[in-house]
Amino acid sequence: MALIRGAALTAVAVLGAGSAALAPAAAAAPAAAAAAVQMVPFSTGHILAAGHMAQPPTTADCQTDFGIACYEPFQLQKAYNLAPLFAKGIEGKGETIVIVDAFGSPSIASDLKAFDAETGLPNPPSFKVITPAGPITTTPSNCVTTYSPTGPDTCSDYYGWTDETSLDVEWSHTMAPQANILLVETPMTETEGIYGFPQIEEAENYVIDHHLGDVISQSFGANESTFSSPAQIYSMRSAYINAAAHGVTVLAASGDQGSTDYICDPASGCADPDNAICCQSTRAVDWPSTDPLVTAVGGTQLHLDAAGDRTSPDSVWNDLSSTVGVTGPVYTWGASGGGHSKVFARPQFQNGVASTVGPSRGVPDIAMSAAVNGAVDFYDTTDPSVAGWGIVGGTSEASPLFSGIVALADQVAGHSLGDLNPSLYALGQSRGSSGIVPITKGSNTFTFCVAADVESDASCPSSSDLITVPGFHANGSYNNATGWGTVNAASFVPALASSAGGGW
């Protein structure tokens, strides 16, 4: 997560032909000049845009040109075993996935059509964009290079959100091709703390009050420590309380800084994206993923071949700077957010994992693909540094992926499932044929360099500048790196639907 950061896009690294981190793809058009890292939406993901790629790169392309893996839609559909569901007509038909992003993207409608055409996906039955909290006033023509408290917002932040929007819309659609998609845009960016959240709350309440969707995906979040008090967080929970009362599921990415998170001075209002720095030197977690009425989605690393078959079991997402070609002392470039809330006490549904979470709400609850070494292709023509195809990771990817899974379960159940957490934990503890796949390898321990921006392509000057925040280890059961683990959709979808009172 970068600022409250569209949960995934914590940071965006735009790498040109001369960059030390990742050379441009051979199939790409000439690369743009190297640019500085952009701090963007949170839960933030990581975007590696190596020039203007004219076609979606294959796994082989990324391995040859970047030294990392990347995946296309058919590979993740296979990895999560969606084919048996699709064969029975379970593709999300009649359900609506709600994506919430600051600014959105002016090209998203055409970008989604291009994404679908190139990857062999059908267009969604319905794709709509609404702005219930007010019109979008920051645009490519008026965004600025330096933050101003009177606006408009910075271009780096704006384009980070257009990338986030493309990721969220395109990959939720990949998992549930026949689900409707409603993109809800808000006019003020979210950074850290309270800044931008009131408009998100307003927009989400509008969606819930007007019965516009079944599952809400949030690829953003802010360090609990960047709010002035727990009371400030409690004052902005109305949308989640409203959603639970009306049977709407709410998801949130758990963050991209592993066991820690970005920090800023709450007294500053955290409005300037440049005021958010990585990282807190102690364990930290993001809200709204810590909210007990929200299902927190953490990150895994898939290990797939060109056909989408696993070459080894999934592990905790934990990419190192060396993975993306950064020289010098190695730090963590991104990892699955997780840990224990300092705001919310352990909810009843976590009593069965009290030995792991203690007296606090623990996150995440479940996990999906998020690794940059295993990134997904996305398409965005608004961001000039991408201007076509790029590759992206982060828990901002994981949340929309899981929203598609929820839409499939909603279709099977014949109704929206609402708050998933009680059912999800019952399935996790049953250890039966729930379709939950435990993660047994990896941790979200996070090492950052105090002298370099994490998730950038900057080298850390010295190993003495490194700070390590101990994380949590996957153990084959519930843990604070990947929650219960990931899913085999063919089994998980009907199990979740049945647990929530519906199904075949």
Side-chain angles (χ1 to χ4, degrees):
M1 300 180 176
L3 310 180
I4 207 187
R5 303 156 300 250
L9 302 180
T10 288
V12 174
V14 181
L15 305 171
S19 174
L22 302 190
V37 167
Q38 303 168 3
M39 303 303 295
V40 296
F42 136 84
S43 249
T44 278
H46 307 255
I47 296 177
L48 303 177
H52 300 179
M53 291 185 276
Q55 293 87 33
T58 66
T59 300
D61 290 335
C62 288
Q63 289 172 335
T64 298
D65 299 325
F66 305 146
I68 61 173
C70 65
Y71 303 128
E72 299 176 77
F74 77 90
Q75 290 167 286
L76 261 66
Q77 288 178 342
K78 187 168 186 180
Y80 290 115
N81 198 21
L82 293 171
L85 297 171
F86 290 176
K88 295 178 180 180
I90 305 303
E91 298 183 80
K93 186 175 182 179
E95 311 305 326
T96 298
I97 298 170
V98 179
I99 301 296
V100 182
D101 282 313
F103 307 139
S105 170
S107 63
I108 184 57
S110 59
D111 287 347
L112 176 59
K113 289 181 179 179
F115 179 88
D116 289 345
E118 190 69 36
T119 60
L121 291 168
N123 297 141
S126 172
F127 175 69
K128 296 180 180 178
V129 181
I130 61 173
T131 57
I136 308 305
T137 56
T138 299
T139 68
S141 61
N142 72 0
C143 63
V144 295
T145 57
T146 304
Y147 169 76
S148 169
T150 59
D153 291 274
T154 63
C155 293
S156 60
D157 196 37
Y158 176 80
Y159 290 129
W161 281 101
T162 70
D163 294 331
E164 178 67 60
T165 299
S166 298
L167 167 64
D168 292 349
V169 169
E170 291 162 6
W171 283 88
S172 62
H173 176 54
T174 294
M175 304 301 279
Q178 291 299 323
N180 304 315
I181 299 177
L182 177 66
L183 173 61
V184 180
E185 301 174 345
T186 62
M188 184 180 293
T189 188
E190 184 45 74
T191 52
E192 287 283 351
I194 196 172
Y195 193 80
F197 259 121
Q199 291 180 319
I200 292 171
E201 180 184 27
E202 177 186 352
E204 292 181 345
N205 272 316
Y206 179 89
V207 168
I208 297 161
D209 290 342
H210 291 82
H211 312 289
L212 300 182
D214 305 292
V215 53
I216 298 173
S217 179
Q218 303 174 117
S219 285
F220 50 78
N223 186 340
E224 288 181 339
S225 300
T226 60
F227 294 89
S228 61
S229 67
Q232 193 176 61
I233 291 178
Y234 274 92
S235 73
M236 295 185 294
R237 299 184 68 225
S238 67
Y240 309 139
I241 296 170
N242 198 8
H246 289 85
V248 177
T249 301
V250 183
L251 312 177
S254 68
D256 294 349
Q257 281 70 52
S259 54
T260 184
D261 205 355
Y262 277 85
I263 193 69
C264 70
D265 180 2
S268 72
C270 298
D272 184 353
D274 292 333
N275 285 345
I277 60 172
C278 183
C279 278
Q280 185 170 313
S281 59
T282 55
R283 288 174 170 175
V285 286
D286 273 315
W287 182 79
S289 73
T290 56
D291 200 293
L293 295 176
V294 171
T295 296
V297 187
T300 64
Q301 181 177 12
L302 288 169
H303 308 275
L304 308 178
D305 63 18
D309 292 311
R310 282 178 171 79
T311 58
S312 63
D314 303 2
S315 53
V316 179
W317 168 40
N318 196 311
D319 282 320
L320 302 178
S321 57
S322 55
T323 303
V324 294
V326 177
T327 59
V330 176
Y331 54 86
T332 309
W333 209 71
S336 176
H340 305 148
S341 175
K342 293 181 174 63
V343 173
F344 297 99
R346 185 183 70 240
Q348 184 175 4
F349 63 80
Q350 288 193 317
N351 283 347
V353 294
S355 61
T356 299
V357 302
S360 302
R361 159 70 161 130
V363 292
D365 302 306
I366 200 74
M368 300 288 282
S369 173
V372 173
N373 186 7
V376 293
D377 298 347
F378 78 107
Y379 190 78
D380 178 13
T381 58
T382 292
D383 182 352
S385 70
V386 180
W389 291 93
I391 57 175
V392 60
T395 56
S396 278
E397 171 198 341
S399 182
L401 288 177
F402 195 67
S403 74
I405 297 293
V406 174
L408 302 180
D410 287 343
Q411 182 186 352
V412 171
H415 58 81
S416 58
L417 301 182
D419 179 13
L420 295 183
N421 289 335
S423 295
L424 184 61
Y425 278 75
L427 290 174
Q429 290 165 316
S430 70
R431 297 183 178 274
S433 56
S434 65
I436 293 177
V437 182
I439 304 298
T440 61
K441 182 179 179 180
S443 82
N444 65 349
T445 293
F446 200 90
T447 298
F448 64 97
C449 179
V450 297
D453 288 331
V454 73
E455 296 153 344
S456 75
D457 58 352
S459 295
C460 188
S462 169
S463 58
S464 63
D465 292 315
L466 298 177
I467 295 177
T468 295
V469 181
F472 304 89
H473 292 263
N475 56 10
S477 184
Y478 178 83
N479 61 82
N480 290 124
T482 58
W484 285 107
T486 190
V487 301
N488 175 335
S491 300
F492 177 77
V493 164
L496 181 63
S498 178
S499 178
W504 293 322

